[in-house]
Amino acid sequence: MNTTIFKTEPIAIKAWAEKRIVYLELTDGRIFGFPADRFRILSQASENQLKAVQIEVGGHALRWEELDEDLTVSGVVAGQFQLPLPRQAA
């Protein structure tokens, strides 16, 4: 049996933020979410600033104009975060 695997770069068609989580809907139907606090600039942003996320570069990038912050969709989907997970209270 021959199996062909096609790898395509993830492309966002929708982005939004709720309760400090940024969500992406991808062209393949997946919905992906990541904590804003995993990125330096986003970790300092207000909830309203996070909600101003825009999709740029044909779905390959996320942009927060007021924060002057850009992230690649492929980077966040691959888990390339700037900051570690916050420690949970024991």
Side-chain angles (χ1 to χ4, degrees):
M1 175 177 168
N2 289 339
T3 303
T4 302
I5 298 174
F6 295 96
K7 292 188 176 190
T8 60
E9 192 170 324
I11 299 170
I13 56 174
K14 184 178 177 184
W16 68 98
E18 292 178 18
K19 299 179 183 175
R20 305 207 55 79
I21 303 292
V22 179
Y23 294 95
L24 310 173
E25 182 178 348
L26 305 176
T27 55
D28 64 7
R30 290 181 291 164
I31 294 179
F32 180 84
F34 65 93
D37 293 341
R38 297 295 302 272
F39 292 92
R40 285 180 195 89
I41 291 173
L42 299 184
S43 70
Q44 303 301 313
S46 70
E47 189 69 28
N48 283 336
Q49 288 173 315
L50 290 176
K51 288 181 179 183
V53 60
Q54 298 173 2
I55 297 172
E56 300 286 340
V57 194
H60 293 278
L62 303 175
R63 172 82 179 153
W64 286 265
E65 189 68 34
E66 182 180 345
L67 301 171
D68 192 25
E69 175 72 321
D70 299 284
L71 302 175
T72 64
V73 172
S74 61
V76 295
V77 170
Q80 296 173 349
F81 303 121
Q82 295 173 332
L83 302 172
L85 283 171
R87 291 184 178 244
Q88 298 290 328

